[in-house]
Amino acid sequence: MSLSPEILQKLSNIVGDSFIFTDKEILNHYGHDETEDYVFPPNVVVKPANAQEISAILKVANEYKIPTTPIGARTGLSGGALSVYEGIGLSMERLNKILEIDEQNLQVTVEPAVINQVLREAVAEKGLFYPVDPSSMGSCWIGGNIAENAGGARAVKYGVTKDYVLNLEVVLPNGEIIWTGANTLKNSTGYNLTQLMVGSEGTLGVITKAVLKLLPKNNHNVLMLVPFYDAAQACEAVSAIFRAGIVPSALEFMEREAIDWTLRLVEGISVNVKPEHQAHLLIEVDGNYPEILMLEAEKIMTVVEQFDIDEVLFADTEDQKAALWKMRRSVAEAVKSNSIYKEEDTVVPRYMLPELLSGIKKIGEKYGFKSVCYGHAGDGNLHVNIIKGDMTDDNWETQVPLGIRQIFELTVSLKGTLSGEHGIGYVQKNFMDIAFSKAHLELMESIKRVFDHNNILNPGKIFPDEL
Amino acid sequence: MSLSPEILQKLSNIVGDSFIFTDKEILNHYGHDETEDYVFPPNVVVKPANAQEISAILKVANEYKIPTTPIGARTGLSGGALSVYEGIGLSMERLNKILEIDEQNLQVTVEPAVINQVLREAVAEKGLFYPVDPSSMGSCWIGGNIAENAGGARAVKYGVTKDYVLNLEVVLPNGEIIWTGANTLKNSTGYNLTQLMVGSEGTLGVITKAVLKLLPKNNHNVLMLVPFYDAAQACEAVSAIFRAGIVPSALEFMEREAIDWTLRLVEGISVNVKPEHQAHLLIEVDGNYPEILMLEAEKIMTVVEQFDIDEVLFADTEDQKAALWKMRRSVAEAVKSNSIYKEEDTVVPRYMLPELLSGIKKIGEKYGFKSVCYGHAGDGNLHVNIIKGDMTDDNWETQVPLGIRQIFELTVSLKGTLSGEHGIGYVQKNFMDIAFSKAHLELMESIKRVFDHNNILNPGKIFPDEL
């Protein structure tokens, strides 16, 4: 489609001449995120200053039935910010302020384009803690975190984005501006539109402010890297740690190749990975009392020593901790730089991890693909990177989707689901029938229609093409 | 309304002759809960055995447009289970089994009519912890807890019911049976219907199974009772404790009269309450390491000693702890036995508590009523008991509702809302305009219509009479 001069003029009147863009290069720039190699440029990019301008834009979009896609930091892995039906690209970048850090109530009010890590550091200066830490925390924005219900390494102890969102200012697709709830820790007042909005991937409304819960900051942690000779045993150890009564603040799983590729890509990490190590667990406990953390670390040692492990590395210095975390957070990038790939965000109850992992390998054998797996084992969230390597294009396009379907069928049969923290967006939508009945999907779509009669807001996401 | 013999026969065919009741005494029994003195008997009570029977009942209800109200343990405080438009009373009592305690995944699958405390004790036997503990935990059911998003004393550290619900089996008003999500700790797969269902007060579907998250059990706690000479100072101390970096596992506030009345009602609690004590804080910290708890208790002492307090009572024995908790949990009953009353479930950001409390007292003076306040100060959740005492019936009926409206207006102006953990149900619905715009309420009602085209499921709740 293309937008008429009349429409462009109306949009320009709203945001001002300096904040509307139709230059091809800019459209391309806003047409991709971190999802594989997809590029879906909008017809126009607008950069509104506030909720009122967004409201006016959405009214124009409704009047002319123009698809409108909210665009954040474009770090997403499911294509949620791609303008798959062109139209208006709504860049949120000017709504980038931390509005208030409320030390009395342990809350922060932010605009959506605040970088996750900027927020974390700003509240840390006040002795407060925002625990949600996606691997992309150095670049991803809080708005996108909320839209996709992002998780991260600390989710196992502290929960995911949804657990920190108290209240949202949202521009509804019809242009109405509402606050979804109240700035309270408890709320039993009407339907929970706050939680309906979290994870709705920009399809139900545009988030313009968020009130987030904070915690008092923990000052200490212990980090250890445990090498396993057998990947399935590493998965089994995960449940065993919880059953010993310990809730680690991070419990990350990396298959051998995830580490190999990362060590090749990232400089300055000295970890002694032997050829016999098939997987590693990166385990952190945190708290206020170092002596207790040492006790917990000893308990964890007792648990993991029941498995077939090599020598455990304790990170002694802050630098060593930073290096280990850098290694973990660079895995996705390393895999990406190594080969064309597809990433799935499977999640199961954590005890089902060994079964999921071995099932994925068998499915790979059947369909002829290799996979590199890593992720947040503490919450059963396994990122499955399917590697193209030297696979033919034909097999990549025909066999891999069949294999992915089988992986998701396995995931759901283990009481898990398609996505733990990346969202469904564009790339997983045609697998939604595996997790949900037609009636269930139609119910979700009816909710979408209640919010968005004309289906203008981020169309082409979440719902299968044929419903 | 009355139900025709044809309809009764159809219902009887579904549940069997032994599980359908039209006897007046039984209807009255199922026509009230713990909300003031309301009685709204249904025309018939049915006691289905499972989701399939409930599905069949709801299909009949749709066919004949019969209001149908799910009924739990009838411990509710907002009238959520009252059959205000008569029709079918759907007692959930036969769905009362703990189906599976999954020690590997720290999850439990329950039916809705399991008593909260029965669940807590069953999982505690396996070394696990279900933290949500409403005052009524000895009699309230998990289904009702989910429907109202119940909280409790430990919510300040552990969260409320919504934070433990992973997945729900729900019979939708049209008779469809769905699972809302997956049995996973993380989930970014479609709209969060699980959280939409939690707190929807039986208006969107009938919960027939719930998968709940569990934690490893903590083995130790320290409990202390702090008497304050000034109630506002007690409220101020609440925020100060958090700012000192401590997250207590309970932080309860009781006004003087709440304790007085309770000590008169409940036998066997020896607490030395002096006439000068205007309020008490009951403070608990919990964890795995007694020495750390003592440290935290000392930190709390340092904080509260900055206020004008009398001698702090540390509960030395399990009996003493039980007595203090019994005192706290008996306040509602004590107030109730003392006078006709109305209870409001106000909630604000916790630092706003002193302002809320003093505002409530001023409003009481203006409208001529006395209030006794207590509640979960750690999460800013203050239960306001408005006492009839020797007020005239006329003032009770005309002045008090005006005062309540002003209390809620104050609550909302402090960024709080109407209900923290009791729900809106029947008694607060005509105050919803204070918290929400008309457009917002209409949005919620449109969601209701998506689920329930004929408005058969628990009509007359949540939404104001005039919308």
Side-chain angles (χ1 to χ4, degrees):
Chain A
M1 73 188 293
S2 72
L3 301 181
S4 68
E6 182 196 349
I7 293 172
L8 293 175
Q9 189 55 54
K10 285 197 176 186
L11 294 173
S12 179
N13 291 348
I14 296 166
V15 293
D17 284 354
S18 339
F19 297 108
I20 180 164
F21 305 86
T22 52
D23 184 82
K24 196 155 182 171
E25 206 175 315
I26 292 179
L27 298 181
N28 278 333
H29 177 75
Y30 285 92
H32 69 87
D33 60 8
E34 291 291 325
T35 312
E36 303 173 30
D37 48 0
Y38 291 108
V39 185
F40 287 100
N43 303 109
V44 59
V45 166
V46 290
K47 301 184 178 177
N50 53 44
Q52 286 68 36
E53 290 187 8
I54 292 167
S55 168
I57 292 164
L58 292 179
K59 283 176 187 166
V60 172
N62 265 298
E63 189 184 346
Y64 296 93
K65 313 276 186 295
I66 312 167
T68 303
T69 302
I71 298 176
R74 299 174 303 107
T75 53
L77 295 166
S78 57
L82 302 178
S83 298
V84 294
Y85 291 122
E86 303 184 313
I88 301 169
L90 193 68
S91 173
M92 303 301 293
E93 66 200 73
R94 291 171 69 201
L95 286 82
N96 63 356
K97 283 175 284 303
I98 297 177
L99 298 173
E100 188 196 1
I101 299 175
D102 177 351
E103 295 177 68
Q104 305 284 7
N105 288 305
L106 278 67
Q107 296 177 0
V108 60
T109 305
V110 289
E111 291 185 321
V114 172
I115 292 173
N116 177 294
Q117 192 164 336
V118 169
L119 173 68
R120 289 165 60 85
E121 288 170 4
V123 303
E125 272 181 31
K126 314 265 184 187
L128 299 172
F129 181 36
Y130 179 69
V132 187
D133 60 345
S135 287
S136 57
M137 66 185 186
S139 49
C140 66
W141 294 349
I142 293 297
N145 289 178
I146 296 170
E148 302 296 340
N149 190 16
R154 270 58 177 234
V156 59
K157 177 169 176 180
Y158 292 104
V160 295
T161 304
K162 83 172 168 56
D163 301 306
Y164 293 86
V165 181
L166 299 178
N167 202 359
L168 293 172
E169 185 191 70
V170 173
V171 185
L172 298 175
N174 67 4
E176 288 270 358
I177 302 173
I178 64 167
W179 278 96
T180 54
N183 296 5
T184 54
L185 294 170
K186 287 162 127 179
N187 192 341
S188 290
T189 312
Y191 299 150
N192 195 338
L193 298 192
T194 309
Q195 291 301 330
L196 187 60
M197 207 53 72
V198 176
S200 66
E201 310 197 49
T203 65
L204 298 181
V206 180
I207 295 159
T208 47
K209 288 193 188 84
V211 181
L212 305 174
K213 177 174 105 167
L214 302 173
L215 298 176
K217 204 167 135 230
N218 278 328
N219 292 315
H220 302 280
N221 60 63
V222 172
L223 184 66
M224 57 182 105
L225 185 71
V226 188
F228 286 78
Y229 293 107
D230 180 73
Q233 287 207 2
C235 289
E236 279 166 33
V238 169
S239 271
I241 290 168
F242 287 89
R243 290 203 306 280
I246 294 165
V247 181
S249 52
L251 214 176
E252 301 283 301
F253 170 87
M254 289 163 284
E255 268 198 311
R256 143 151 228 100
E257 270 170 319
I259 290 197
D260 278 354
W261 291 359
T262 307
L263 293 178
R264 277 202 296 270
L265 179 83
V266 187
E267 290 184 358
I269 305 172
S270 72
V271 177
N272 181 17
V273 177
K274 295 186 197 156
E276 314 88 81
H277 299 161
Q278 285 311 302
H280 285 72
L281 291 182
L282 183 65
I283 310 173
E284 184 194 78
V285 285
D286 73 355
N288 281 319
Y289 305 98
E291 61 278 23
I292 296 300
L293 297 181
M294 288 319 298
L295 268 180
E296 296 208 320
E298 279 166 30
K299 272 196 202 174
I300 291 172
M301 281 300 291
T302 311
V303 173
V304 295
E305 277 169 359
Q306 292 161 20
F307 298 88
D308 195 15
I309 62 168
D310 200 357
E311 200 176 339
V312 174
L313 169 71
F314 280 85
D316 284 328
T317 64
E318 287 307 309
D319 281 355
Q320 215 172 3
K321 285 177 190 174
L324 286 179
W325 277 115
K326 189 175 178 191
M327 178 176 79
R328 166 60 189 91
R329 292 190 195 282
S330 305
V331 172
E333 201 189 334
V335 170
K336 195 166 187 170
S337 74
N338 205 283
S339 163
I340 292 178
Y341 77 111
K342 285 181 186 291
E343 179 169 1
E344 310 308 331
D345 178 36
T346 58
V347 61
V348 291
R350 72 170 75 90
Y351 185 66
M352 304 301 163
L353 262 186
E355 200 169 334
L356 176 63
L357 185 70
S358 76
I360 289 168
K361 298 299 173 185
K362 274 186 206 131
I363 293 165
E365 279 166 31
K366 179 171 164 194
Y367 291 96
F369 61 76
K370 184 181 157 78
S371 62
V372 178
C373 298
Y374 62 93
H376 315 298
D379 15 66
N381 186 194
L382 191 73
H383 299 319
V384 183
N385 284 262
I386 297 169
I387 307 299
K388 182 155 186 283
D390 51 8
M391 203 174 198
T392 66
D393 287 354
D394 191 43
N395 279 346
W396 183 247
E397 275 150 36
T398 59
Q399 294 304 297
V400 167
L402 298 176
I404 293 175
R405 177 159 280 271
Q406 251 192 294
I407 288 174
F408 285 140
E409 283 167 353
L410 172 65
T411 308
V412 170
S413 78
L414 298 173
K415 310 268 186 196
T417 191
L418 311 185
S419 173
E421 56 179 17
H422 295 169
I424 296 305
Y426 177 69
V427 289
Q428 265 78 35
K429 63 179 177 173
N430 287 320
F431 299 110
M432 284 286 272
D433 62 296
I434 299 168
F436 300 108
S437 67
K438 193 164 187 296
H440 196 149
L441 287 170
E442 282 170 352
L443 182 66
M444 286 190 197
E445 207 185 39
S446 303
I447 293 171
K448 164 70 174 166
R449 278 197 298 269
V450 161
F451 281 77
D452 186 10
H453 301 290
N454 294 318
N455 196 28
I456 55 136
L457 195 63
N458 210 2
K461 307 293 166 67
I462 299 179
F463 299 101
D465 292 327
E466 289 173 34
L467 180 58
Chain B
M1 75 186 290
S2 72
L3 301 182
S4 69
E6 181 196 349
I7 293 171
L8 292 175
Q9 189 55 53
K10 285 196 176 187
L11 294 172
S12 178
N13 291 347
I14 295 166
V15 294
D17 286 353
S18 339
F19 296 109
I20 180 163
F21 304 88
T22 53
D23 184 85
K24 198 157 182 172
E25 204 174 316
I26 293 178
L27 298 181
N28 277 333
H29 177 75
Y30 285 92
H32 70 86
D33 61 8
E34 292 291 325
T35 312
E36 304 173 30
D37 48 2
Y38 290 110
V39 185
F40 288 100
N43 303 109
V44 60
V45 166
V46 290
K47 301 183 179 177
N50 53 45
Q52 286 67 34
E53 290 187 9
I54 292 167
S55 169
I57 292 164
L58 292 179
K59 283 176 186 164
V60 172
N62 266 298
E63 189 183 345
Y64 295 93
K65 314 275 186 293
I66 311 167
T68 302
T69 304
I71 299 176
R74 298 174 304 108
T75 53
L77 294 166
S78 57
L82 302 178
S83 297
V84 295
Y85 291 121
E86 304 184 314
I88 301 169
L90 192 68
S91 173
M92 303 301 290
E93 66 200 73
R94 291 171 68 200
L95 286 79
N96 63 355
K97 283 176 283 305
I98 297 177
L99 298 172
E100 190 196 358
I101 300 174
D102 178 350
E103 295 177 68
Q104 306 285 6
N105 288 305
L106 279 67
Q107 297 177 0
V108 59
T109 305
V110 289
E111 291 185 320
V114 172
I115 292 173
N116 177 294
Q117 192 164 336
V118 169
L119 173 69
R120 289 165 61 86
E121 289 171 4
V123 305
E125 273 180 33
K126 314 267 184 186
L128 299 171
F129 181 36
Y130 179 70
V132 187
D133 60 345
S135 288
S136 58
M137 68 185 184
S139 49
C140 66
W141 293 350
I142 292 298
N145 289 179
I146 296 169
E148 302 296 339
N149 190 17
R154 269 59 177 234
V156 59
K157 177 169 176 180
Y158 292 105
V160 295
T161 304
K162 82 171 169 54
D163 301 305
Y164 293 86
V165 181
L166 299 179
N167 202 0
L168 293 171
E169 184 190 72
V170 172
V171 185
L172 298 174
N174 68 3
E176 289 270 358
I177 303 173
I178 64 167
W179 278 96
T180 54
N183 296 4
T184 54
L185 294 169
K186 286 162 129 181
N187 193 342
S188 290
T189 313
Y191 300 150
N192 195 339
L193 298 192
T194 308
Q195 291 300 331
L196 187 60
M197 207 55 69
V198 176
S200 66
E201 310 197 48
T203 65
L204 298 181
V206 180
I207 295 158
T208 47
K209 289 194 187 82
V211 180
L212 305 173
K213 177 173 104 166
L214 302 172
L215 298 177
K217 205 169 133 221
N218 279 327
N219 292 315
H220 301 281
N221 60 65
V222 172
L223 184 66
M224 57 182 107
L225 185 71
V226 187
F228 286 77
Y229 293 108
D230 180 74
Q233 287 207 2
C235 288
E236 279 166 34
V238 169
S239 270
I241 290 169
F242 286 89
R243 289 203 307 281
I246 293 166
V247 181
S249 52
L251 214 176
E252 300 283 303
F253 170 86
M254 289 163 285
E255 269 199 310
R256 146 153 224 99
E257 271 170 317
I259 290 197
D260 278 354
W261 291 1
T262 306
L263 293 179
R264 278 203 294 272
L265 178 84
V266 187
E267 290 186 358
I269 304 171
S270 71
V271 177
N272 183 17
V273 178
K274 295 186 196 155
E276 313 88 81
H277 299 163
Q278 286 310 302
H280 286 72
L281 291 181
L282 182 67
I283 309 174
E284 184 194 78
V285 286
D286 73 356
N288 281 319
Y289 305 98
E291 61 278 23
I292 296 300
L293 298 181
M294 288 318 298
L295 267 180
E296 297 209 316
E298 279 165 29
K299 274 197 202 172
I300 291 172
M301 281 300 292
T302 311
V303 173
V304 294
E305 277 167 0
Q306 293 160 20
F307 298 89
D308 195 15
I309 61 168
D310 200 357
E311 198 175 343
V312 174
L313 169 71
F314 279 85
D316 284 328
T317 63
E318 287 308 308
D319 281 355
Q320 215 172 2
K321 285 176 188 173
L324 287 179
W325 276 115
K326 189 174 178 190
M327 179 177 79
R328 167 59 191 89
R329 291 190 194 282
S330 305
V331 172
E333 201 189 333
V335 171
K336 194 166 187 173
S337 74
N338 205 283
S339 164
I340 292 177
Y341 77 112
K342 284 180 187 293
E343 178 170 0
E344 309 308 330
D345 178 37
T346 58
V347 62
V348 292
R350 72 170 77 91
Y351 186 66
M352 304 302 165
L353 262 187
E355 200 169 335
L356 177 64
L357 185 69
S358 77
I360 288 169
K361 298 299 173 185
K362 274 186 207 132
I363 292 166
E365 279 167 30
K366 179 170 164 197
Y367 291 96
F369 60 76
K370 183 181 159 74
S371 62
V372 178
C373 297
Y374 61 94
H376 314 298
D379 12 67
N381 186 194
L382 191 72
H383 299 318
V384 183
N385 284 263
I386 297 169
I387 307 299
K388 183 156 186 284
D390 50 10
M391 204 174 196
T392 65
D393 286 353
D394 190 44
N395 278 347
W396 182 246
E397 273 149 38
T398 58
Q399 294 305 295
V400 167
L402 298 176
I404 293 174
R405 177 160 279 272
Q406 252 192 293
I407 289 173
F408 285 139
E409 283 167 354
L410 171 64
T411 309
V412 170
S413 77
L414 299 172
K415 309 269 187 197
T417 192
L418 312 185
S419 173
E421 56 178 17
H422 295 170
I424 296 305
Y426 178 70
V427 291
Q428 264 78 35
K429 64 178 176 172
N430 287 319
F431 299 109
M432 285 286 272
D433 63 295
I434 300 169
F436 300 107
S437 68
K438 191 164 189 292
H440 195 148
L441 287 170
E442 281 170 353
L443 182 65
M444 286 191 197
E445 207 185 40
S446 303
I447 293 172
K448 164 69 173 166
R449 279 197 298 269
V450 161
F451 280 77
D452 186 11
H453 302 290
N454 294 318
N455 196 27
I456 54 137
L457 196 63
N458 209 3
K461 308 294 166 65
I462 299 178
F463 299 101
D465 292 327
E466 287 173 35
L467 177 58

